[in-house]
Amino acid sequence: MSGKPMPGGLPGGPDTVVTPPGAAPRPAGTPKMAGTVWGLLILNTLGSAGAKTIVPLPRSLIQVVTMGALVAAFVLALALNLRLRIRPGAFLFLLTLLLVPSVISSAHLESGFGALFRCGRLALFAGTLWLLSRWWDGGLTFVRHHIRMYFAVLGSVAAGLVISPGAALPELYGGRLVGALWPLTPPQIGQYAAVITGLTVLLVLGRRTDRAGAAVVIVPSLVLLALTHTRTATLGLLIGLTLAIGSLVMTSAAARRFFTWAVLCAAVAAVGFASALQTWFLRGQNQENFTNLTGRAKVWDALLAAPRTATEEAFGVGLGDKSFGGLPIDNSWLAVYNEQGLTGIALVAAIIIVLGGVALLRPPSLSRACAIFLISYCAIASYTEAGLGDASPYLLHLALAACLLAAPAAATPLPAPAAPRRDVPRWAKDRR
């Protein structure tokens, strides 16, 4: 069979079977159930806190749904991989090591029994990724699952906006878009919209999807991103796409054309819509509120000034709700420092550095570009969003990047068939 892309398939990827001369055929590819597992992991990371929904949902019920999704994901992944075939990698190894400071700090119960519960959740999350690693081969299969699931989540946000605009754009959040059917905050919605927009743009440039299908994803996602007024997600999308497309410029004419047009459009928008863009970016904040990052800087200063023991400095105070003094930390590095100490910061930094280093060493490709986008987006968002030290969408984005950077598994040749046994006639045996 040739290596040309088939409908929904990728040359040399999990959807296309390429049989080199003299080699055995490769496995049919990633099972469809793996996509269900990935979707359940995404459902688990949606969280249980957010805006008020049209139909009030008890937080306990939401937590049962999200934790049930994680348990179901682990069970399904185990059923798919009963022989426990895994592909060891630096990302999963470092993620598993992150459990060590988490358990050590949580065992003191300074954050309550919930800390141990969160450790168990992180262990199940990492275990499910280990089981799925069998199908991590640098293909784009999981990218498609990522886009589809988050697009479905954004579909629920859009439905809530249509059903009840007042609930979806509440004054409590300054008129920013929230989840009216499922409790989602503006930064969450902005993150999902930015990530699937960036990935879909790259798929179009790599000719892995048609423009009409891509427009169905990109246009609504950008509208929802604009309604959230999320600056971090917008900057992450722009900078991440710039780096990702830049990695394709030398090998892709489509990337060069898109990059040129994007620069021209950005220049025109900066000149013609400067006032509107500034108003959108400031979100009605005064200079003081803008400079201290909507109060985040005050929380950060208080956290860093708080006294700590040597154990807390090394391992943190245990997994919590990413808050300090009742206020959200909204910084991945400080949240990790607070909950997993300097050891956790070293491991999270190692994850980013290793993935970034591997991406730089890989030859130019669409998978590499998608990985660069995800890594750069997470690195940028880590400044004003928490999540790199616990089961979260950001760790899922990085897991997807690790999947994209994995080298394709070599085909295992089948043993040569035994030579057919020749029957000797009876008269020949008698003559012997």
Side-chain angles (χ1 to χ4, degrees), residues 40 43-44 59-70 182:
L40 290 171
L43 177 58
N44 171 254
R59 187 174 181 182
S60 57
L61 173 62
I62 298 174
Q63 289 176 332
V64 168
V65 172
T66 54
M67 275 307 301
L70 179 58
W182 183 276

Side-chain angles (χ1 to χ4, degrees), residues 187-226:
Q188 284 181 282
I189 299 170
Q191 175 199 163
Y192 306 154
V195 167
I196 68 172
T197 296
L199 291 176
T200 306
V201 167
L202 293 174
L203 289 182
V204 172
L205 294 180
R207 298 180 180 179
R208 304 296 179 158
T209 188
D210 59 276
R211 295 183 180 180
V216 172
V217 174
I218 294 173
V219 174
S221 298
L222 288 178
V223 171
L224 296 181
L225 174 59

Side-chain angles (χ1 to χ4, degrees), residues 216-282:
V216 172
V217 174
I218 294 173
V219 174
S221 298
L222 288 178
V223 171
L224 296 181
L225 174 59
L227 291 175
T228 64
H229 287 259
T230 308
R231 296 176 293 220
T232 300
T234 304
L235 290 176
L237 171 63
L238 296 176
I239 297 174
L241 267 183
T242 300
L243 296 175
I245 295 173
S247 70
L248 293 173
V249 164
M250 299 302 295
T251 57
S252 171
R256 289 192 292 271
R257 289 193 299 269
F258 182 88
F259 189 81
T260 302
W261 279 106
V263 170
L264 291 175
C265 292
V268 171
V271 174
F273 304 96
S275 178
L277 290 174
Q278 184 179 12
T279 302
W280 182 89
F281 197 78
L282 289 176

Side-chain angles (χ1 to χ4, degrees), residues 336-364:
V336 171
Y337 170 69
N338 183 53
E339 297 183 355
Q340 292 141 310
L342 295 176
T343 305
I345 286 183
L347 291 172
V348 171
I351 289 174
I352 299 289
I353 292 171
V354 167
L355 288 177
V358 172
L360 292 177
L361 294 175
R362 288 282 187 269

